[in-house]
Amino acid sequence: MSKPIRDRILAVIQSPTYKPLNVDQVTELLQLTSDRELAQFDDALQDLEDEGILAEGEKGTIIVARSELKAGEVIAIYSGNRKGFGFLDVKEPKNHPQLFVPGEYNAANAVSGDVVKARVVKREGKEPGDLEFGRIVTIVKRAHSRVVGTLQKKGSSWFVLPDGNNFPNPIDTPDAAGKYLKPGVRVVVDITRYPTEYETGQGVVSEVLGAGGEKDVDLRSILIQHNLPEDFPEDVKEQAREAVRKFDVETERARRLDLTDTMICTIDPDDAKDYDDAISLEKDDDGNWELGVHIADVSFFVEKDTPLDIEAAHRGNSIYFPGYVVPMLPEVLSNGVCSLQEGVHRLVKSAFITIDSKSGKPLRTSFANSIIKSAKRLRYREAQALIDHAEKIPHPDGEKKRTDYDDRVLKLLDDMNLVSRLMQKRRHAAGQLRLDLPKVDLILDENGKVVDAKPEDDSFTHTLIEMFMVEANEAVARLFHRLDVPAIRRIHPDPDPDASARLNRFVMVAGHKISTEPTRADLQKLLAEVKDKPERFAVNLAVLKSLARAEYSPQETGHYALASDHYAHFTSPIRRYADLMVHRLLDAFFEKIRADFRRGPVPFKDVKLKDIPTFDELVMQGQHLSFTERKADDAERELRQIKLLELMEQHIGEHMLGVVTAITKFGLFIQLDKWLIEGLVRYPNLLGDYWELDEKGGVVRGRKTGRRIHIGDVAKVQIVRVDLPRRELDISVIEFVSRGTHGAPLEKKTDKIKSAAWQDKQNARSGGQRRSAKSKSRDKGKGRRHKERE
């Protein structure tokens, strides 16, 4: 196939004879005409700009954003803090560590998300091997041209307080004076002047979202901030409707493996609307298990290179917000004809995996285009109650009894429970990691306002389905490996040694031990040790941060956390474009074997698939899909945070329990037990003491009282303040209740906290000298300076 469009763009732009051209001129030069090629061009150009390689010049021309990096220079993405400092996530050269940027080293006035060129420096007097810093040289690409915030007025001046922490200071909006707007409304501002050290940023109000707290205002602001897609273009929606109109069940039944009489069911969350996976399970003649994983055949309805396909590829994935979804496909497909609803005929791609009844290992695998009719739509908690043989079964239509269900459904569930546990045991022995990072389900009213939150359902049925999905994903990846064809895989590289070393230090701080180069078995042991302990969340989060981020790539790297040599996403094509790509590769395989196998069995090495993406094209597509996934994750996380903070506003002044999850230079982060949100306690507001931070020991000590606070300590706290625009929750500590792994409950400790006066008295009794007035004055000065810094 042709050279990837990314490389062709670079070949033109980086040519010594290149003169700046606009987008239309470049596409004409590259002879790109089809909708798919133009969409690929747009994605490639956007990626090159995001990476700081290309930029927009005068009159919309495309230019090289940077020359070759000089020695000691890096390209990075800046992440700022309201206090003035920030960090650099280095993109080039690769594998360079994250750099700290002191406030005075950001003379270019970068804001969070900006792509920057920076110079790696050491502060004067630092010895070789000490921490390096980043000094920002120039802005390569601005991340934000629009911000969302709250309109304010002071005197005759109008300004906007931006949401989040990207722009920590107000943006002047002088045009607001002539728009008959009221202070307090949420607005969108187009930036006309970025803030500098000497002057504030400035912009114009381009859209009014509404008053804070109104329905969908928060959602709309997140969609704009993260530049997320909303409604589908009309030609895309029409193509989806046309695909449904053309669908004929009986025509497809004749072409496919008919499984409509097979006992098949789905298990999904209570509020799921699209069901893209279903399960069958039977015993074969040898006493082994024949697992069928049946996945919605989206590729049948979404033809390659059509507007519908191009839009899905651009979106990359669906985005799930509390009470709202930004789908990858129009709902007529995602919630309609593609969704494996109960009692209706649906097209699927089936993976049949023979599982050894003793070891749980896969013995054989086959694939087919099939047609099914789901016998039952089950929910996780409902299925769990049936597996547990409970008397009362939870159901949205009201409580049910076990006898209300078909005996074949009950047997299928019992068999699924047995086989999934067998597979789980095998996977655990192989080293699969299972992190325990619980969340809460938000309960919204009809206006989208959060009124409560409850612990997320953790029934084993979640793991049960996960075991079957992972098995199918591995089976597909193994097929492509045997065929020796490039495929879009889900890869998860081994941990970086530096990250493992940081995990080692953190785990020691939390009261546990682990090797500086931990194996999967070491990590499994650690996670088992902290199970049900106060420091559980902090340690699980630290393990997660020590691992590389999973991404999409044709590289056969394997998946570290799953202990899998070959892994690809196959099981969610309704919401992930990577899975749709895998389905199309399966279609190419089916087409080939239909043609070749008529002449007899063909060895795998001789099966050559036609019209499939090249390795280089998959690299580019994988980068795009990894980017859209990260963007979706960030947006989902931020809106959940907003909703939880809105809930916290209703509980200001209340007391509750929490666990210390992080100790920083400016304060403690404590996670509230009930709602699993972290609040900050700043040191000047902590129990009336002056606090000294021991970074190496991961503990703070009170100078007056001698009190020591560790990660995992349990405290009774009070909710003090919610700052929605800044996404911050301030809390105060009433008292510490217990000491996690570091000790028994405080009231049972023999080394109770003693006053400074008592300690001075004890020193005098033992012949020690009381501190001089000068020494005390110096200590007070240190404490005062600490307060001023924070």
Side-chain angles (χ1 to χ4, degrees), residues 26 45 106 232 270 288 319 327 344 352 432 488 601 606 627 639 762 774:
V26 174
L45 185 61
N106 184 15
F232 289 93
D270 289 359
N288 294 313
I319 307 169
V344 294
F352 299 100
Q432 182 179 7
I488 195 76
D606 295 332
F627 171 74
L639 188 57
Q762 292 301 105
K774 181 178 179 181

Side-chain angles (χ1 to χ4, degrees), residues 16 36 191 229 292 308 312 362 417 487 524 536 583-584 594 670 698 705 712 758 788:
R36 183 174 184 80
I191 301 296
L308 179 57
N417 182 50
Q524 286 179 326
R536 174 191 64 176
H583 280 221
R584 287 185 177 142
R594 270 197 299 268
I670 296 180
T705 61
W758 183 90
E788 289 168 354

Side-chain angles (χ1 to χ4, degrees), residues 56-73:
E56 183 177 340
E58 294 182 1
K59 298 180 180 180
T61 57
I62 304 171
I63 62 173
V64 177
R66 59 175 175 79
S67 57
E68 289 299 317
L69 294 174
K70 299 176 182 177
E73 290 185 341

Side-chain angles (χ1 to χ4, degrees), residues 592-603 606-607 610:
K592 184 66 176 176
I593 61 175
R594 270 197 299 268
D596 287 358
F597 278 36
R598 295 185 188 121
R599 301 190 298 272
V602 177
D606 295 332
V607 176
K610 297 179 180 179

